[in-house]
Amino acid sequence: MAAPAATAPASPPGHRKSVTGTRRTVAVLFLLPALVLLGALVVYPIGYSLIRSFYNANGDGFAGFDNYKAIFTDDGIRTALKNNVIWVVFAPTVSTALGLIFAVLTERVRWGTAFKLVVFMPMAISMLAAGIIFRLVYDQDPDKGVANAVWVGIHDTFAQSSAFPNAHLGRESPLKADQGGFITKATVHTGETVTLPLVGVAPDQLPDGAKKAVAAKSDPGKITGTTWQDFTRGKGVGKLGAPDPSELGYDGMRVEAVKNGKVVASVKAAADGTFTLPAAADGAQLRLPASNFKQPYNGVDWLGPSLVTPAIIGSYVWMWAGFAMVLIAAGLAGVPRELLEAARVDGATEWQVFRKVTVPLLAPVLAVVTVTLMINVLKVFDLVYIIAPGSSQDDANVLALELYRKGFSEGQPGIASAIAVFLLLLVIPVMWFNVRRLRREERR
């Protein structure tokens, strides 16, 4: 008969509890450094800011809710709050929309990976560096700012700039000022030769086709004349009121004959500055209209009070559209291709497939990207502080920047703490929505 199998001795009742307790102790010891850092860097600052927000600027008097009232009564903070609303509405929406478009379109091209790399590359640049880059991009001077260089180039393609913006009257001139232009002091008659000299145009600003000015020849039945740059460098060199060998004509200068306030004839000067008017100009005054002297178009004031916030949002989109694209592309890779093909077989157009199949399937990913960017823009500071010049920084103000200004520049730490708490309250609902959505996704 076989011997009964040996049974292991039962462990004492308290043994399992001691093992469980040991494991918990080890877990707590491993978590302790992280908990200490969390308390020191997150919990304590939040608690201190909350307490500090109820005290005055000196910290020795209880101010109650006065600091929180200032958030809605102080003009600077109200402007910052309004701008934050604009940021939260537009920056995440535009970035997510561009990311979606890029992610969908790059799936159809051979060089899609290279394109994604280029679009994502701005994420490798710090906010400080991006701010410096776009401060230069938005520079008012078209010779420095890329945005205005492009804008001015497009404008000048359809509306040619004046070649004589700085021309003005010289000594003993036969002309006088007239509504932004110049007009002869006396009337002219057929058979006369008229001189219309000006000064003040730099040689490098004269039209490329300008030639040496010459005195016009008289014509009995017409009015002839010359308009030119009446200036020769050097003391005592050249004759005043007559073209000299080194002086250039005003190529393309418009000359009008005006009678009783009406233009009866007009002509453009030749390359050597000479012009000829018909007999209809007899008894008229000759006018060089203001259109000859318009200042060159200098582009858009991107960093002015009205456009500074949209301009800075543009720089933010440049940085974060790549982030949105990468996340959406990852979600798009998991979309069942059978559903897309089935929709196409059923006769759906590409736009209908995108709108009614792709976008709904990507809705969870789009929500994650949008919510993440919303939290990010609520804290935006670097771009606004660096890009906005001092003259328009008040107009571009946001809550994070106003917190910095109140706390470090204006010596009002109580109000700064109240703004910090208010920002935390704005972030909490967005974070709660994100956590709730993630839990809902896990249950599925």
Side-chain angles (χ1 to χ4, degrees):
M1 187 173 180
T7 57
S11 59
H15 181 68
R16 184 172 297 175
K17 292 183 180 178
S18 63
V19 171
T20 304
T22 302
R23 288 177 178 175
R24 286 179 181 173
T25 303
V26 172
V28 169
L29 289 175
F30 273 103
L31 288 174
L32 189 59
L35 292 174
V36 171
L37 286 175
L38 184 67
L41 300 179
V42 179
V43 178
Y44 172 74
I46 291 175
Y48 182 79
S49 296
L50 180 62
I51 295 171
R52 192 68 185 81
S53 67
F54 292 103
Y55 283 83
N56 59 20
N58 297 326
D60 55 3
F62 186 73
F65 287 93
D66 290 347
N67 293 328
Y68 290 93
K69 291 178 182 177
I71 295 176
F72 302 99
T73 55
D74 184 274
D75 290 338
I77 302 177
R78 288 171 64 182
T79 300
L81 186 59
K82 179 194 72 175
N83 287 336
N84 262 99
V85 172
I86 295 173
W87 271 88
V88 169
V89 171
F90 290 100
T93 304
V94 176
S95 299
T96 305
L98 283 176
L100 174 61
I101 293 170
F102 292 156
V104 172
L105 293 182
T106 50
E107 277 204 332
R108 299 174 174 270
V109 294
R110 191 181 305 174
W111 38 268
T113 303
F115 181 83
K116 288 178 182 177
L117 178 63
V118 171
V119 175
F120 187 74
M121 197 175 295
M123 284 296 299
I125 302 174
S126 68
M127 285 282 197
L128 173 64
I132 295 172
I133 290 170
F134 275 88
R135 181 66 181 268
L136 295 174
V137 167
Y138 291 133
D139 195 288
Q140 180 69 39
D141 187 352
D143 293 332
K144 298 178 181 177
V146 175
N148 266 341
V150 174
W151 194 262
V152 169
I154 295 172
H155 174 274
D156 290 349
T157 301
F158 299 98
Q160 191 173 3
S161 298
S162 167
F164 318 104
N166 299 315
H168 57 270
L169 299 175
R171 293 179 295 130
E172 303 176 14
S173 176
L175 299 165
K176 61 181 180 180
D178 177 70
Q179 300 178 1
F182 307 101
I183 194 169
T184 55
K185 297 175 183 177
T187 58
V188 297
H189 300 278
T190 54
E192 289 185 7
T193 300
V194 186
T195 56
L196 304 177
L198 293 173
V199 295
V201 181
D204 59 345
Q205 292 181 347
L206 285 168
D208 295 335
K211 297 180 180 179
K212 292 182 180 180
V214 297
K217 297 179 180 179
S218 61
D219 190 326
K222 298 179 181 179
I223 298 171
T224 58
T226 305
T227 178
W228 79 102
Q229 172 88 345
D230 190 17
F231 176 79
T232 300
R233 187 170 296 179
K235 188 175 180 181
V237 178
K239 186 178 180 182
L240 193 63
D244 292 310
S246 62
E247 296 170 351
L248 298 176
Y250 283 153
D251 181 21
M253 176 76 77
R254 177 164 291 279
V255 183
E256 296 176 345
V258 182
K259 281 185 183 180
N260 301 321
K262 295 182 179 180
V263 178
V264 295
S266 66
V267 69
K268 281 189 175 181
D272 58 4
T274 57
F275 61 87
T276 302
L277 288 164
D282 185 56
Q285 290 177 282
L286 299 190
R287 180 174 66 186
L288 304 178
S291 59
N292 290 313
F293 312 106
K294 285 182 179 178
Q295 290 294 327
Y297 182 68
N298 206 35
V300 177
D301 187 9
W302 299 103
L303 299 182
S306 58
L307 290 178
V308 63
T309 295
I312 299 173
I313 290 176
S315 66
Y316 178 90
V317 170
W318 176 78
M319 288 192 68
W320 288 88
F323 167 82
M325 178 195 66
V326 169
L327 291 187
I328 295 171
L332 191 60
V335 172
R337 302 297 163 179
E338 298 82 8
L339 296 177
L340 303 180
E341 293 302 326
R344 293 188 181 101
V345 170
D346 288 342
T349 63
E350 289 300 324
W351 170 245
Q352 289 174 327
V353 171
F354 173 75
R355 186 165 55 91
K356 295 184 178 181
V357 181
T358 305
V359 172
L361 290 174
L362 287 175
V365 179
L366 296 176
V368 169
V369 173
T370 304
V371 170
T372 302
L373 294 180
M374 286 176 66
I375 295 172
N376 186 267
V377 299
L378 281 171
K379 305 178 293 180
V380 68
F381 167 80
D382 317 60
L383 290 177
V384 180
Y385 183 72
I386 297 166
I387 295 176
S391 58
S392 59
Q393 198 168 85
D394 288 341
D395 300 283
N397 202 8
V398 290
L399 287 174
L401 177 59
E402 186 64 15
L403 185 158
Y404 169 81
R405 294 168 71 175
K406 293 292 185 188
F408 297 98
S409 300
E410 300 178 17
Q412 300 183 54
I415 295 179
S417 299
I419 295 173
V421 174
F422 183 67
L423 270 174
L424 177 65
L425 294 176
L426 291 178
V427 171
I428 287 175
V430 182
M431 294 179 63
W432 174 80
F433 169 80
N434 207 22
V435 171
R436 185 180 178 185
R437 190 200 58 74
L438 289 173
R439 287 179 177 174
R440 190 163 56 245
E441 288 295 321
E442 287 177 358
R443 294 192 194 103
R444 290 179 185 176

